[in-house]
Amino acid sequence: MASRRLLLVLAICRLISTVGLPSELLELGVQGSLTIDPAEVEAASHDFGGLTQTKPLAVLRPDSVQDVVALLRSAYGSDRGFTVSARGHGHSIHGQAQTGSGVVIEMGRMKRENRPVVVGELPPPPSSSSSSSSSSSSSSKRNKEWYADVWGGELWIDVLKSTLERGLAPKSWTDYLYLTVGGTLSNAGISGQAFNHGPQISNVHQLDVVTGKGELKTCSEEKNPELFHAVLGGLGQFGIITRARIALEPAPERVRWIRVLYSDFSTFTRDQEYLISLHEEPASMRFDYVEGFVIVEQGLINNWRSSFFSPRNPVKISSLGATANGGVLYCLEITKNYNDATAANTVDQEVDALLKKLDFIPGTVFTTDLPYVDFLDRVHSAELKLRAKGLWDVPHPWLNLFVPKSRIADFDAGVFKGILGNKTSGPILIYPMNKNKWDERSSAVTPDEDIFYLVALLRSALSSGDETQTLDYLSRQNQEILAFCTKARIRVKQYLPHYTTQSDWEHHFGHKWEKFLQTKMEFDPKGILATGQRIFSPTPHLSRNRYSPSSPALHKPGDQVLLQL
């Protein structure tokens, strides 16, 4: 232990002499690894977006939550000051987990034995009577409330594998499972289950959070509720999630995965909205997952189909009536969960009854059955294929928008049939969600309508010689889409937001801004955390009682937000 501590002191002394980190780090006493190794620093300076690169001064690989606490306490108490950013799987787009003036915590690098996934059962609510035990044991088991306690840097795929050992699984997902729990909960965490269960932030019982003051706080609906709701969807501004208690449900064994096609947008959205309206119905009378995507390029339709069947018989857009609709098709994607082969007939009947109420193009029902895990992990299979072709580690100028239901047809006309033309370089998702499944007390922001749509343009920039696939072209097109929404007064909200001015952030948060600001002053008064989000500048010399809306550290509307100290 003494030799290890000596090596740590020597490493920190090197940090101070080479990059000028504050001397407070000499007293940090972490058990993990604090390093300026060029390979570690380089890795922490990149993200999935590939649009920006910012090298931190150092990287911390924690061995426990106490290492995170020690680092934040050191940053908060430092005379010179430095920033701290938590990095999960590095899947951000615009450098949100980067910092050029401090330390990046690699949350996913903790030793496996130090971050077990613990599955437990919530105690019954106080109103339930222990004497009322007339229900069957099987019914009692179904009605139990299960949870998993997980490290904030745990990947969702590993949470799934651990909970499946108990026949359980989280209720709400993202489409891609190689993301960290803390990362998705800092945004919202959405997928096709959100219409029914809400986003992932609506399925959390409790959090452990290390604030910008270096205080480790347990928070929930009952304990420190202000911090609890602020952190969920809070973009990492108030604390680093080190533990989350996630709601679980019995896991199905298999999935019936169905895709159907539409050439008329209003029919497509009407059917989607009908399906999400069934969220209060028994499971037998609704689908378990509702998503959709847009096909604007003829070559993509057979790629779409090949996931289900061999593309020996190519489908032509012209044969489906899309030519008269601007050459655009829409795919509805739905699933039905079930448990074993004996339920197959029941699933057939339930699916048929639901499909009869939809108005898709006849003859375009494509179906496959697969294990539940394989469906949830479907994007990873595509990732492996792209990696093999060298097409994964390319720039990703993604644009994710929440569009109010009342203007989704205008968005279709102006963007899908207008700005995009007939070319795309990645999936375009579109599906509706019920606002009442989102907790308004969280920091997440959605349009002010009962139903809103996610529109996700998940494009990849390629150097194929086609100008429409270049990073510059796609970035300009994203700005054109945003400008169109502004001019048409379509009140979109960015999901995974990216802004560069204080006025844009204030507009994004709307009525939540003042609360967001006050909570920032309470839990991260020096602006140490998540500076890569470009919401606040770090202010290490600013005392608590000077941190106010009139402070120079909080920029006037229209000012550029600066990150460097």
Side-chain angles (χ1 to χ4, degrees):
M1 178 61 72
S3 60
R4 182 177 181 181
R5 183 60 58 86
L6 176 61
L7 288 174
L8 179 62
V9 171
L10 290 175
I12 295 175
C13 287
R14 184 185 172 208
L15 286 175
I16 294 170
S17 63
T18 57
V19 298
L21 274 183
S23 59
E24 287 86 355
L25 286 176
L26 277 172
E27 304 300 325
L28 191 57
V30 297
Q31 298 301 306
S33 170
L34 182 69
T35 180
I36 58 167
D37 179 85
E40 296 274 1
V41 170
E42 177 72 15
S45 70
H46 293 272
D47 64 13
F48 180 70
L51 308 178
T52 183
Q53 180 181 359
T54 305
K55 290 186 178 181
L57 301 181
V59 174
L60 173 66
R61 285 180 288 162
D63 263 5
S64 70
V65 65
Q66 293 306 320
D67 286 351
V68 180
V69 171
L71 181 64
L72 265 298
R73 284 180 179 172
S74 177
Y76 184 66
S78 172
D79 290 334
R80 289 185 52 199
F82 59 92
T83 60
V84 176
S85 287
R87 185 176 187 270
H89 196 53
H91 207 75
S92 55
I93 301 301
H94 295 281
Q96 286 93 334
Q98 297 171 7
T99 179
S101 53
V103 180
V104 166
I105 305 177
E106 290 283 9
M107 295 293 289
R109 300 290 295 277
M110 182 186 288
K111 295 176 183 177
R112 174 63 56 185
E113 59 267 26
N114 292 349
R115 52 177 190 180
V117 175
V118 179
V119 176
E121 181 187 346
L122 291 176
S127 58
S128 63
S129 172
S130 58
S131 61
S132 57
S133 56
S134 58
S135 60
S136 67
S137 59
S138 60
S139 175
S140 174
K141 185 176 182 179
R142 285 196 304 270
N143 292 330
K144 287 181 178 179
E145 289 283 341
W146 297 93
Y147 69 83
D149 275 337
V150 300
W151 169 246
E154 196 70 62
L155 295 178
W156 283 101
I157 183 64
D158 293 325
V159 176
L160 175 62
K161 290 176 180 178
S162 296
T163 58
L164 282 176
E165 294 176 0
R166 301 282 296 271
L168 302 166
K171 296 179 178 181
S172 190
W173 293 100
T174 55
D175 287 331
Y176 183 56
L177 302 189
Y178 287 75
L179 305 173
T180 60
V181 170
T184 65
L185 294 183
S186 295
N187 289 281
I190 55 174
S191 184
Q193 302 88 3
F195 83 94
N196 187 37
H197 292 296
Q200 289 181 318
I201 58 174
S202 293
N203 293 275
V204 181
H205 295 298
Q206 192 180 85
L207 298 171
D208 281 350
V209 175
V210 182
T211 72
K213 297 178 180 180
E215 299 172 336
L216 177 60
K217 291 182 176 289
T218 297
C219 53
S220 65
E221 290 269 9
E222 296 78 26
K223 186 176 183 180
N224 297 314
E226 179 185 16
L227 180 61
F228 178 71
H229 294 298
V231 167
L232 295 172
L235 307 179
Q237 292 301 303
F238 314 113
I240 295 174
I241 298 172
T242 57
R243 179 186 65 89
R245 177 165 289 183
I246 306 299
L248 304 178
E249 65 178 358
E253 295 174 0
R254 296 188 64 78
V255 170
R256 175 74 51 85
W257 187 8
I258 306 156
R259 287 174 172 176
V260 297
L261 286 176
Y262 294 76
S263 59
D264 180 73
F265 185 73
S266 62
T267 304
F268 168 70
T269 55
R270 183 177 66 242
D271 280 0
Q272 280 194 319
E273 290 164 17
Y274 166 70
L275 291 177
I276 71 166
S277 74
L278 304 177
H279 62 92
E280 297 293 348
E281 298 293 334
S284 62
M285 298 175 64
R286 56 173 167 78
F287 285 113
D288 296 293
Y289 162 101
V290 177
E291 282 199 14
F293 57 92
V294 183
I295 302 172
V296 300
E297 184 179 352
Q298 291 201 23
L300 290 180
I301 188 169
N302 291 303
N303 292 338
W304 156 81
R305 192 186 179 207
S306 65
S307 299
F308 285 68
F309 296 101
S310 169
R312 288 176 297 178
N313 299 314
V315 179
K316 295 184 180 297
I317 287 183
S318 58
S319 69
L320 299 175
T323 303
N325 195 42
V328 179
L329 287 173
Y330 311 94
C331 173
L332 172 64
E333 195 168 34
I334 43 186
T335 70
K336 193 74 172 171
N337 300 337
Y338 62 99
N339 281 326
D340 51 46
T342 60
N345 290 335
T346 302
V347 170
D348 290 341
Q349 295 170 7
E350 293 175 358
V351 168
D352 288 346
L354 285 164
L355 290 180
K356 285 178 181 178
K357 297 181 180 180
L358 306 181
D359 195 17
F360 50 86
I361 300 173
T364 64
V365 180
F366 302 96
T367 303
T368 187
D369 284 72
L370 69 172
Y372 184 60
V373 175
D374 291 356
F375 171 73
L376 291 180
D377 201 27
R378 63 199 179 280
V379 176
H380 184 56
S381 299
E383 174 190 350
L384 296 177
K385 294 177 183 178
L386 291 172
R387 283 189 181 278
K389 298 177 181 179
L391 297 177
W392 183 259
D393 294 319
V394 298
H396 295 93
W398 286 8
L399 180 63
N400 296 273
L401 301 174
F402 289 148
V403 183
K405 168 189 168 181
S406 65
R407 303 302 304 277
I408 193 65
D410 297 322
F411 190 94
D412 169 64
V415 178
F416 301 148
K417 298 189 181 77
I419 294 173
L420 293 182
N422 63 353
K423 287 285 186 178
T424 186
S425 59
I428 303 172
L429 304 184
I430 174 171
Y431 57 91
M433 286 174 277
N434 295 306
K435 188 177 179 71
N436 63 5
K437 296 292 183 177
W438 293 64
D439 193 328
E440 274 297 292
R441 295 171 295 178
S442 78
S443 293
V445 179
T446 61
D448 191 21
E449 292 191 9
D450 292 341
I451 294 174
F452 59 89
Y453 280 78
L454 170 74
V455 176
L457 293 94
L458 309 180
R459 280 99 65 83
S460 300
L462 307 174
S463 55
S464 61
D466 186 340
E467 181 193 4
T468 63
Q469 294 186 337
T470 64
L471 175 59
D472 182 62
Y473 181 90
L474 294 174
S475 298
R476 283 188 283 109
Q477 196 173 66
N478 285 345
Q479 293 305 312
E480 187 179 357
I481 292 169
L482 292 171
F484 163 76
C485 291
T486 299
K487 184 177 181 179
R489 297 185 179 181
I490 301 175
R491 299 180 183 276
V492 300
K493 293 292 185 181
Q494 287 191 30
Y495 177 59
L496 312 178
H498 170 65
Y499 301 103
T500 57
T501 68
Q502 192 86 82
S503 60
D504 284 339
W505 280 112
E506 290 182 26
H507 182 265
H508 171 76
F509 283 107
H511 71 275
K512 292 189 176 184
W513 172 251
E514 287 301 322
K515 180 67 173 177
F516 194 87
L517 176 59
Q518 291 169 10
T519 309
K520 180 72 171 180
M521 290 190 286
E522 175 64 27
F523 295 106
D524 185 26
K526 289 188 175 181
I528 291 167
L529 294 167
T531 54
Q533 293 283 1
R534 299 175 182 258
I535 305 175
F536 303 101
S537 289
T539 55
H541 301 293
L542 198 62
S543 66
R544 169 66 180 85
N545 58 11
R546 288 180 57 205
Y547 196 76
S548 66
S550 61
S551 168
L554 298 176
H555 303 274
K556 299 185 296 295
D559 284 353
Q560 191 74 17
V561 178
L562 303 177
L563 297 182
Q564 299 299 322
L565 289 170

